[in-house]
Amino acid sequence: MKKNRLTLYILIAMFLGIGVGYVVHQNASPAFIAAFAPKTNLLTTIFLRLVQMIIAPLVFSTLVVGIARLGDLKTVGRVGGKALLWFISASFTSLLLGLLLVNVFKPGAGIHLTTPDASGAKDLLGKTQSFSLDTFVSHVFPKSIIEAMATNEILQIVIFSVFFGIATAALGNSGKIIIKALDAVAQVILKMVGYVMGFAPLGVFGAIAAVIATNGLEVFKFYSLYLMYFILGIFLLWALLLLVGALILKNSLPGLVRRIVQPLIIAFSTTSSEAVFPKLTEELERFGCNNKIVAFILPLGYSFNLDGSMMYMTFASLAIAQAYGIHLDIGTQLTMLIVLMLTSKGIAGVPRASLVVVTATCAMFNIPPEGIALILPIDHFCDMFRTATNVLGNALATSAVSKWEGALELENAA
């Protein structure tokens, strides 16, 4: 109910922004428009600063807990290795597919939005600079975790979290205290995410009103192309995932698809993959997957195997750059792909998690963060497709690892 109300409020804010922006665009003088747009954008700035406020504690707490709960990596053995091989391959493929589609179709290229005043975005962008191998290395390795958190250097936080999580797991029983405490912190931050998203309608209104006041209704060309090409990408990703699933599971793939139809529909309609976790666990075991493998792989996949979200991240980040006329060469785009591969892990279950990751990535690559608010009005519809894709990817991953381990008892799948 709350999520539906928030979506309604975002849509209302979008239409109000359209109306106000159009009236200003049609009737106001250029001088008034020039003053109106940046002042209205302050609403967007408030929302974006609130989002960026929670990035560092969110990534740290969730990633440490996720890694620490894996336990001693030696004990997970080949099962964990095969699962990670699937997760990394699927994540890279999803990211690459999003990158290819946005470069081929260029959904944001026809807008030519004005890049915001650099002084207005200075605090949000932090210490961003042109990316090269040297600057990438400096962004990866922290010299101070406090400094990294203060400046939202997301990759440095990830590196520290990985070491912290592995060390916590190595402590055994003593580390459980840390895990329990950080898990509580993560729950608090997740609650804060819900509060912060309550400011989303203000951010949407400010962004839409400012853009339409400056550019007119041309901006809607972006929405139609953006959604159409994203859905095309999702269908291509489904085809690719099912093809790989057919190669591994062979004739048993249709049985798996029949089992997960209901979880897919629930995930699509609620935009929550967590809502179907118990049902998906039950259906995978009925399909014939070993219950121990399901108990290990599925929770791991919910943190590390978000295929639909991964494709969306490259697609959204580059589409926003195109909308602002920012050219990113192929080397920079591949660097962004690596950044997203690292920064997207460990935040499963966060409402509009992709928005948080894209916000951080845009800041790192000097892409105006105002673009995040521009895509927010249709983010709910994109979220429906990417959530269902996440569920499909995790079902296939769990079934594939069961098959590789010789633990897929298809006679129980009837």
Side-chain angles (χ1 to χ4, degrees):
M1 290 293 294
K2 290 183 178 179
K3 180 176 290 187
N4 290 338
R5 285 201 299 269
L6 178 60
T7 300
L8 176 62
Y9 296 154
I10 288 174
L11 292 175
I12 292 173
M14 181 185 70
F15 287 117
L16 287 175
I18 292 170
V20 172
Y22 182 73
V23 169
V24 172
H25 180 76
Q26 292 293 105
N27 300 290
S29 65
F32 181 86
I33 293 175
F36 173 84
K39 287 183 173 60
T40 308
N41 252 333
L42 288 176
L43 295 173
T44 306
T45 300
I46 292 171
F47 170 64
L48 290 172
R49 289 178 70 92
L50 290 173
V51 171
Q52 292 185 325
M53 172 184 71
I54 61 178
I55 289 175
L58 179 64
V59 171
F60 174 71
S61 58
T62 55
L63 191 56
V64 168
V65 171
I67 293 173
R69 282 182 171 169
L70 295 180
D72 184 0
L73 292 182
K74 293 181 180 179
T75 64
V76 303
R78 63 181 184 277
V79 176
K82 291 174 181 178
L84 291 176
L85 176 63
W86 176 286
F87 297 160
I88 293 171
S89 301
S91 296
F92 181 81
T93 301
S94 302
L95 287 166
L96 188 60
L97 178 59
L99 186 148
L100 291 174
L101 287 172
V102 79
N103 276 283
V104 170
F105 295 114
K106 301 185 186 303
I111 308 259
H112 305 300
L113 300 178
T114 302
T115 302
D117 182 9
S119 62
K122 184 177 180 180
D123 291 338
L124 292 174
L125 297 176
K127 300 194 305 182
T128 56
Q129 52 187 301
S130 299
F131 254 64
S132 65
L133 181 59
D134 292 340
T135 55
F136 177 70
V137 170
S138 69
H139 273 280
V140 170
F141 300 101
K143 60 182 179 180
S144 167
I145 184 58
I146 303 301
E147 180 186 17
M149 287 186 168
T151 57
N152 265 345
E153 289 285 357
I154 193 71
L155 275 181
Q156 295 182 9
I157 298 170
V158 168
I159 292 297
F160 180 84
S161 301
V162 169
F163 278 99
F164 196 97
I166 293 174
T168 302
L171 291 177
N173 289 333
S174 299
K176 291 182 179 179
I177 300 174
I178 302 296
I179 298 173
K180 185 175 181 180
L182 284 179
D183 188 42
V185 171
Q187 296 304 314
V188 172
I189 300 300
L190 294 180
K191 194 71 174 178
M192 288 179 62
V193 171
Y195 298 151
V196 168
M197 291 309 301
F199 290 86
L202 290 176
V204 169
F205 173 81
I208 296 297
V211 168
I212 294 183
T214 304
N215 300 279
L217 297 180
E218 179 187 6
V219 70
F220 285 103
K221 180 181 179 183
F222 172 76
Y223 285 130
S224 59
L225 292 176
Y226 181 88
L227 186 58
M228 180 177 67
Y229 291 138
F230 174 71
I231 293 175
L232 173 63
I234 286 292
F235 287 155
L236 291 176
L237 183 56
W238 274 55
L240 186 59
L241 288 171
L242 290 173
L243 176 61
V244 175
L247 293 175
I248 297 172
L249 301 176
K250 298 184 174 12
N251 294 335
S252 58
L253 178 63
L256 173 64
V257 174
R258 287 195 298 270
R259 283 291 184 189
I260 65 173
V261 165
Q262 186 179 13
L264 285 173
I265 294 174
I266 296 173
F268 181 84
S269 58
T270 63
T271 68
S272 173
S273 53
E274 279 65 33
V276 301
F277 185 90
K279 183 65 175 177
L280 186 60
T281 299
E282 178 185 359
E283 293 298 344
L284 287 173
E285 291 179 359
R286 288 181 176 178
F287 171 66
C289 295
N290 182 277
N291 61 348
K292 293 181 179 179
I293 292 181
V294 173
F296 174 68
I297 301 297
L298 199 57
L300 188 62
Y302 266 59
S303 293
F304 291 91
N305 189 45
L306 306 173
D307 299 330
S309 298
M310 299 295 280
M311 196 203 79
Y312 177 80
M313 290 171 193
T314 45
F315 188 90
S317 300
L318 293 175
I320 292 169
Q322 291 173 355
Y324 284 106
I326 298 174
H327 174 71
L328 301 176
D329 59 42
I330 189 64
T332 303
Q333 291 186 34
L334 291 176
T335 303
M336 180 183 287
L337 187 149
I338 296 172
V339 169
L340 287 168
M341 176 75 82
L342 294 172
T343 59
S344 61
K345 304 308 180 188
I347 60 171
V350 180
R352 302 183 190 272
S354 300
L355 173 68
V356 176
V357 175
V358 171
T359 301
T361 305
C362 285
M364 293 178 66
F365 286 84
N366 208 19
I367 300 170
E370 285 79 0
I372 303 298
L374 290 177
I375 65 174
L376 191 57
I378 58 170
D379 183 71
H380 179 81
F381 304 105
C382 294
D383 200 14
M384 296 170 74
F385 289 94
R386 63 180 184 251
T387 300
T389 305
N390 293 341
V391 171
L392 174 68
N394 282 316
L396 288 172
T398 305
S399 302
V401 174
S402 294
K403 180 66 177 293
W404 289 337
E405 286 294 301
L408 188 62
E409 302 177 5
L410 294 177
E411 62 268 20
N412 295 336

